[in-house]
Amino acid sequence: QVQLVESGGGLVQAGGSLRLSCAASGRTLSDYAMAWFRQAPGKEREFVTAISRGAGSIIYADSAKGRFTISRHNAKNTVYLQMNSLKPEDTAVYYCAADYVQTYGSNWYDRVYKYWGQGTQVTVSS
């Protein structure tokens, strides 16, 4: 069992930056692929980015490319999401997720993640 707790959300002006953290407990984070999703009001939850167990593979949604950076510090059991050049349309609740991936195929990140955090609100004002 893995427990995930996100932090770092808040209110920021457009063009600003935030760094989200996802702290894991219960199991060693290094065993899991990690991902960030977000859900804006009235919209479905959407994939933002994912990082493989050893950080050898990182995937970004088009909306995140060039602005967001995912990283992981396995010794600290923490995953980060650095978000730069934020836009009002980035406003959402951001969730981190974890799953054990046995085989890293080309679409390894496209899966139903087993463990989820409670989310952290990010609000970008215009």
Side-chain angles (χ1 to χ4, degrees):
Q1 191 76 4
V2 177
Q3 292 80 42
L4 302 173
V5 178
E6 302 95 335
S7 61
L11 174 64
V12 64
Q13 289 188 331
S17 299
L18 282 175
R19 189 176 82 155
L20 306 183
S21 299
C22 174
S25 61
R27 296 290 297 271
T28 302
L29 193 64
S30 60
D31 291 337
Y32 297 88
M34 302 296 298
W36 287 94
F37 289 76
R38 66 186 184 185
Q39 187 167 19
K43 296 186 177 181
E44 293 187 353
R45 186 164 57 191
E46 65 173 357
F47 171 83
V48 177
T49 180
I51 186 168
S52 63
R53 185 170 61 234
S57 178
I58 294 175
I59 307 295
Y60 293 99
D62 288 344
S63 59
K65 287 179 181 176
R67 299 188 302 126
F68 293 3
T69 303
I70 189 172
S71 61
R72 63 191 301 159
H73 195 309
N74 286 339
K76 293 184 177 180
N77 253 18
T78 303
V79 173
Y80 304 97
L81 180 64
Q82 177 67 43
M83 303 187 295
N84 299 328
S85 302
L86 284 162
K87 306 174 182 179
E89 50 264 44
D90 294 319
T91 295
V93 177
Y94 283 71
Y95 299 90
C96 71
D99 197 25
Y100 178 75
V101 177
Q102 187 165 11
T103 302
Y104 280 84
S106 59
N107 292 325
W108 63 267
Y109 58 96
D110 186 13
R111 62 196 303 111
V112 176
Y113 287 77
K114 185 173 183 179
Y115 303 105
W116 292 83
Q118 84 290 347
T120 185
Q121 176 70 47
V122 171
T123 303
V124 184
S125 63
S126 57

